[in-house]
Every structure is written in structure tokens, then in C-alpha cells.
Amino acid sequence: MSTVTLRRGRFSARIERRTLWFLAAMIVLIAGLTLLGLCYGAAWASPARVFAALTGSGGGPGVVIREWRLPRVLAGLVFGAALGLAGAIFQNITRNPLGSPDVIGLDAGAYTGALFAITVLSGTSTQLTIGSVLGGVITAAVVYALSLGGGLSGLRLIVIGIAINAMLTAFNSWIVLRAELEIAIAAVGWNAGSLNGVGWGDVAIPFGVLAVLFVVLFTRAPALHQAALGGELAVTTGVRWDRLRLVLVLIGVGCTATVTAVAGPIAFIALAAPQIGRRLARTPGIGLLPAALTGAVLLTGADLAAQMLLAPESLPVGVVSTVIGGGYLIWLLTKEVRRS
């Protein structure tokens, strides 16, 4: 396949044309979804009105676009990218397409921490954030410890993660059943995963946290791609595999738990985005940028579909993402069975 060589000073890189076309197409698609998300609502706003609102001259409708629609659209893009990156991290570490936070129990662990904040504490946004992060970290630590015998890679981690996920799901159901009715309804609704009602006050701090995690992750990208070839091979090239693995797991947990704290568990985006991005971009491995862009498109598109399907009622985005991810998972498992 033809490649394009990019040069700047002493730096040069060879990129396949298909990858460049993929990146261009994803940027255009993200721009289109962003515009559609800002236009769509209880009252349709023309692109001209959206532009006027973003420049501060939109009047009453401009407030709706700036304060309600814009944070929701940005949350879909940023949170989708975060879930895509989290999935890419764990799929690179495990070298398994099933290695994603929602499969190995990190989403369920973050939900357990949030349930504790909702049922035992007062359930403020700060408590939800701290509870989700702690729940995800503790779950990751348990899976990490139980998987050490297999080097935290391959089928061992997936099987242990699925088992932990099943136990946490049952435990979470028990907590909801024992809670008071109002609290249980709120917990179940939050568990569906939703961007409904997300405002600037909900996303300001999470955006900052995710920005830091993104920067740290992309500084580790070269080492991550070397490690994806295998821990032993990575060590021979100078990669401190044990330290790198721990940092990557913490970043993946941080991305997952931050999204869960705001929007609840959003299933299957982390599972599907890295593999879809890899196949569309035709990259040799699971690239971080294709996974992030694909995750942003999937979550934003799913949220728009959730708003439109039963309009004027808005479905939780987790319902739509589960349908998309479930179909993808069936296709993936069918393909793996045929290959074996």
C-alpha cells in the first residue's frame, strides 16, 4: 500500500495513505456530528443560529445552545475518546480484542464505588467521582493481583476479569435491591449511562483530569506500541515493562472511572472503538489516535440516536451503545470461532 512521508527538520515518518484518509474522514465526521448535535433539540437551530450562539450573539436561543447543547456534545466527544483510549490500553496490554474495561470488570467496579456514594453517603458529584475512581482502582488492583501468574496478558486476564465483572454485577444488584426506593431508582437510572442534563458544572473538572491523562498517555505511546508486541520483547528494547504496565493500567482506570462518575457506565464503546479504528485505519497495531477518534464518533453518534429514536423523550446513551457494541461483539466472537 502506498505511503506518504512527512518530514520536519530531522523528524520523518511514513504514514499509509489509507490512514491519512481515515483521519481526514473522522475529523469531517466529528465536525458534522458536532454541528448536528448543536442544531438538534426541542427546537431545531439552523447552522447560522448555532454560529451566532457560539460567537455570543445568539440571544435567548444562544443560551440553550451554549449552556445545554454544547457541553453535552463536547462530553460525547471527550468521553468517547477517553473510553476508546482506555480500551486501546487494555487491548494492547493483553493483546486480546476482548480486553476492555467493561469486559474485565472496571466499569462494574466504578459503579460499585458510585453506588456506595449514592446509598451510604449523600451522593454529591465529588463523592460520585471519588467513589467511582476508588472502585475502579480497587477492581483493577484485584484483577492485577490475580493475573500476575499470567503476566497480566492474554486469556488469563480476560477470564479473571469476566469473573470479577460477574461477581460485582451481582453485588451491585444486591445493593440496589436493599436500597430505599428513591435511591434505587436513581441508582438504576444512573447505571444506564446517560449524557442527559450534562452541563458545564458537571464536565469542567473531568475534562481537566482527562486532559492530563491524555497527555501522559501519548507521551507513553511509543513504549506502549513496543509493549504490544510482547512484554519480553519490549524489555529487550529498553522498555521498563512492569513500571509501564502499572502506569498504563492507572491511566486506563482513570479514564474509565472519570467517565463513569459523570455519565454512568457506558458499555461497549471501549470494547469496539479500538478494533473498529484499527480496521478502518489499517494500522499494524491498535493505535491510540484511531481508537480515540472512533470512540468519539461512536459515543456522539449513539447519543444523537438516543435523542432522536423516541423524540421528544431521550433514551440513555448506554442503551444505544449496548445495542451497537452487542452487535459488534457477536460479529467478533463469530469471526474468532471461524478462525479457530
Side-chain angles (χ1 to χ4, degrees):
M1 183 176 293
S2 60
T3 60
V4 176
T5 302
L6 303 178
R7 290 187 176 90
R8 183 176 181 181
R10 296 182 179 179
F11 172 81
S12 64
R14 297 178 65 85
I15 303 177
E16 292 183 354
R17 291 186 183 274
R18 183 183 180 93
T19 303
L20 289 177
W21 280 112
F22 164 79
L23 295 177
M26 295 301 283
I27 292 173
V28 172
L29 187 55
I30 286 174
L33 289 173
T34 300
L35 179 59
L36 180 59
L38 294 175
C39 291
Y40 184 81
W44 176 265
S46 66
R49 178 172 291 182
V50 168
F51 178 77
L54 295 180
T55 56
S57 57
V63 175
V64 174
I65 294 172
R66 290 193 303 269
E67 301 299 325
W68 295 0
R69 298 182 189 176
L70 183 57
R72 179 172 187 156
V73 170
L74 291 180
L77 294 173
V78 176
F79 291 169
L83 293 175
L85 289 174
I89 288 173
F90 287 100
Q91 289 179 17
N92 272 305
I93 290 176
T94 62
R95 290 187 290 167
N96 192 308
L98 292 177
S100 72
D102 41 1
V103 172
I104 62 177
L106 300 189
D107 278 7
Y111 181 43
T112 303
L115 275 179
F116 179 83
I118 293 173
T119 57
V120 178
L121 306 177
S122 55
T124 64
S125 58
T126 301
Q127 292 170 349
L128 279 173
T129 301
I130 295 175
S132 296
V133 172
L134 288 178
V137 169
I138 293 173
T139 303
V142 172
V143 175
Y144 186 100
L146 295 176
S147 304
L148 285 178
L152 196 65
S153 62
L155 186 61
R156 181 184 179 90
L157 174 65
I158 304 300
V159 173
I160 291 175
I162 290 175
I164 296 294
N165 185 41
M167 289 187 288
L168 285 175
T169 300
F171 180 64
N172 292 340
S173 298
W174 178 79
I175 293 177
V176 171
L177 289 174
R178 294 294 302 269
E180 296 181 2
L181 180 60
E182 294 81 2
I183 296 177
I185 292 174
V188 171
W190 187 81
N191 184 41
S194 176
L195 297 179
N196 297 338
V198 170
W200 290 116
D202 302 309
V203 299
I205 295 178
F207 280 3
V209 173
L210 291 175
V212 173
L213 294 176
F214 290 173
V215 171
V216 175
L217 175 59
F218 278 96
T219 61
R220 302 294 194 278
L224 172 61
H225 293 151
Q226 290 180 343
L229 301 175
E232 295 180 358
L233 181 60
V235 171
T236 62
T237 61
V239 175
R240 296 181 179 179
W241 174 229
D242 291 335
R243 179 179 177 181
L244 174 65
R245 182 172 57 192
L246 179 59
V247 171
L248 292 174
V249 168
L250 291 177
I251 294 173
V253 172
C255 288
T256 302
T258 301
V259 174
T260 303
V262 178
I266 301 177
F268 289 112
I269 299 295
L271 173 69
Q275 293 297 320
I276 293 175
R278 181 179 70 85
R279 285 173 168 81
L280 292 177
R282 294 289 178 88
T283 54
I286 302 174
L288 295 180
L289 186 56
L293 293 176
T294 305
V297 167
L298 286 178
L299 185 55
T300 305
D303 187 47
L304 282 170
Q307 296 178 62
M308 296 177 180
L309 285 175
L310 297 179
E313 297 295 328
S314 182
L315 290 173
V317 67
V319 174
V320 179
S321 69
T322 299
V323 173
I324 296 173
Y328 165 79
L329 182 59
I330 292 173
W331 173 83
L332 179 64
L333 293 175
T334 302
K335 183 177 180 180
E336 293 297 324
V337 169
R338 290 178 178 174
R339 180 182 299 176
S340 61

